[in-house]
Amino acid sequence: MSKKVFIKTYGCQMNVYDSKRMADVLKPQGYVVSESSDDADLVILNTCHIREKAAEKVYSEIGRLKLAKQAKAAEGKDMYIAIAGCVAQAEGPEMMRRAPAIDMVLGPQTYHRLPEMLKSAEEQRSGGRMSARVLDTEFPVDTKFDHLPEESDYTGPAAFLTIQEGCDKFCTFCVVPYTRGAEYSRPVADIVAEAKRLVTSGVVEITLLGQNVNAYHGDTASGETASLGALIRELDEIDGLGRIRYTTSHPRDMDDELIEAHRDVKACMPYLHLPVQSGSNSILDAMNRKHTREHYFDIIDRLRAAKPDLALSSDFIVGFPGETDQDFEDTMDLIRRVKYASAYSFKYSPRPGTPASIMETQVPEDVKSKRLAALQALVNEHQLEFNTNSIGKEMDILLERPGKYAGQLLGRSPYLQAVHVDVSNVQNALAEDADNPYSEFMGKLVRVRISEAGPNSLKGELVSALH
Ligand code: 5AD
Ligand code: SF4
């Protein structure tokens, strides 16, 4: 009889990919993915440690799961609780002490060993114990990618593919180098094989993932090293792969090959998430970002020269230790100059074990809040302006799922805008599938004329189906 696993994912897109891969690892063990923890035999929380709030959420969820586990035990049934991801990596032993309901703790680099961990957890609990104590958070010498099974059950036209993991940059605010470990790039052949399998199963758009994705330097079959730009050209050869995206990039690694890929490769989407974090040189220095604002502007100029319609996005941290009003003004000035199509912004959150957390010049919470609100208001203004400029334009939209209303489908523009597409006027949409009459458009790239724009999404009408 099949068993059920419920995987709850926190944080970044790499965790989304990892959760999918954990399901692939568990499938041969007889586990099917469940949409709820209620009837699950195994619950995995795939956690995020990037900011304090993200980590706190995990502990409250464990509290809820403990009750579910006890209720199941009262019915004579077993439930296993596993904590994966970056909180597990950073605080594994402490978590086990703090939350005795946890059976297993595993890191982002050890989830290929889930079957062994489950086996020892089952052995430990066979004597009627309420919880097991299995911990596996080492950084193995060989990579998990050599042990993962082929991915299965891909649904939907857009997929993630991890090509690079870890970070050697050590920004002073960031836990990633400690939780994900040193930088590692997968070989080109493995990535191309995985991408081909995804395309065969109906995927049209692939987002290449890495904490430092543009630091990618994977081995080629001939023993050379490929940059991300070269990898994109290689992937562009795959028939049926319509769109290539990548995230997250570091300004230092934005090389000419990658900029030229944006210029030359049609499938390389005109959208780039290039976090700058701050517009002040002294803060960038204190953050150990290894670039200045001038360096950043220069990259943006080169990118826009190569690809004039490139939409840009960034991450910002406000209230980093020592940030003065002038430093913050420099960030606002940078935003005014670049004009982002979207951006993510956060209040600085001290993370245990990182250099910035012990800096003496911490910024008061109310100052952080005020700066965050001002920054977000400015970014929202630009975002709305960017969206409004889309009105009247025709764009290729990848339709990903049904919209809120009948006759409406939801997709993404090349610039990653969410677009509600009205397909109700199309005669040949009256397909046999009565429950889902527009299913023939699902997962397809279509040409759409944009008619309306809001701060977070666009609306448009179908002009033609592309293929
Ligand atoms: N505090 C606030 N934001 C942070 N980020 C990373 N670490 C911290 C921290 N300690 C933000 C950065 C990064 C994004 C993923 O999260 O902006 O780019
Ligand atoms: Fe963290 Fe900096 Fe590495 Fe990005 S580049 S993962 S912010 S240490």
Side-chain angles (χ1 to χ4, degrees), residues 167-171 173-177 211-212 250 277 289:
C167 179
D168 294 339
K169 296 221 166 45
F170 291 92
C171 297
F173 53 81
C174 186
V175 286
V176 165
Q211 266 95 26
N212 246 279
H250 192 287
Q277 312 296 356
R289 288 289 292 175

Side-chain angles (χ1 to χ4, degrees), residues 397-454:
I397 307 297
L398 180 61
L399 297 174
E400 294 182 25
R401 56 180 150 269
K404 239 184 178 169
Y405 307 105
Q408 201 184 53
L409 298 176
L410 191 61
R412 294 261 172 202
S413 79
Y415 313 102
L416 212 61
Q417 295 149 297
V419 187
H420 301 271
V421 182
D422 186 353
V423 293
S424 59
N425 58 344
V426 180
Q427 296 269 314
N428 63 3
L430 299 170
E432 314 82 63
D433 184 353
D435 290 339
N436 192 1
Y438 307 106
S439 58
E440 68 192 86
F441 291 110
M442 206 63 84
K444 300 275 164 39
L445 273 167
V446 295
R447 192 92 182 142
V448 168
R449 186 175 300 109
I450 304 302
S451 53
E452 280 178 52

Side-chain angles (χ1 to χ4, degrees), residues 58-84:
V58 175
Y59 280 104
S60 56
E61 186 63 28
I62 294 171
R64 271 194 291 278
L65 288 175
K66 182 183 160 192
L67 300 177
K69 186 174 180 176
Q70 285 167 343
K72 273 208 142 185
E75 295 170 21
K77 290 184 198 154
D78 278 344
M79 173 177 165
Y80 288 83
I81 299 177
I83 311 298

Side-chain angles (χ1 to χ4, degrees), residues 50-51 173-175 248 273 275 277 289 315-317 344 346-351 354:
I50 199 92
R51 286 171 294 276
F173 53 81
C174 186
V175 286
T248 287
H273 183 61
Q277 312 296 356
R289 288 289 292 175
D315 291 338
F316 294 96
I317 296 178
Y344 303 87
F346 315 97
K347 289 193 253 184
Y348 170 68
S349 162
R351 309 308 295 128
T354 58

Side-chain angles (χ1 to χ4, degrees), residues 216-379:
Y216 177 81
H217 54 281
D219 294 342
T220 66
S222 56
E224 281 155 33
T225 303
S227 68
L228 180 58
L231 177 70
I232 288 174
R233 283 179 197 269
E234 190 89 18
L235 292 170
D236 188 41
E237 300 290 315
I238 300 175
D239 249 2
L241 179 57
R243 290 178 158 191
I244 303 167
R245 302 182 185 278
Y246 58 93
T247 198
T248 287
S249 297
H250 192 287
R252 286 268 306 205
D253 297 313
M254 211 65 225
D255 63 13
D256 287 341
E257 266 186 299
L258 187 50
I259 295 176
E260 284 157 17
H262 273 286
R263 184 191 64 198
D264 302 336
V265 180
K266 196 170 155 260
C268 181
M269 288 293 101
Y271 175 92
L272 175 61
H273 183 61
L274 192 63
V276 66
Q277 312 296 356
S278 167
S280 150
N281 280 339
S282 63
I283 295 297
L284 287 170
D285 189 42
M287 286 177 165
N288 191 31
R289 288 289 292 175
K290 304 186 181 84
H291 64 81
T292 59
R293 61 187 265 129
E294 290 75 22
H295 182 193
Y296 188 80
F297 286 138
D298 177 56
I299 296 164
I300 302 290
D301 288 347
R302 279 158 53 211
L303 277 161
R304 283 185 165 152
K307 187 79 187 161
D309 67 334
L310 188 76
L312 285 152
S313 146
S314 178
D315 291 338
F316 294 96
I317 296 178
V318 298
F320 184 83
E323 188 185 68
T324 62
D325 284 342
Q326 184 55 51
D327 292 322
F328 177 65
E329 246 334 290
D330 289 350
T331 300
M332 296 291 271
D333 175 71
L334 181 141
I335 294 172
R336 279 186 208 101
R337 287 219 221 167
V338 177
K339 280 201 153 182
Y340 293 95
S342 70
Y344 303 87
S345 46
F346 315 97
K347 289 193 253 184
Y348 170 68
S349 162
R351 309 308 295 128
T354 58
S357 68
I358 50 168
M359 290 179 181
E360 279 165 13
T361 46
Q362 300 292 325
V363 173
E365 206 50 35
D366 59 326
V367 177
K368 287 186 197 172
S369 300
K370 241 190 248 157
R371 289 180 185 166
L372 186 69
L375 189 152
Q376 289 182 338
L378 182 61
V379 166

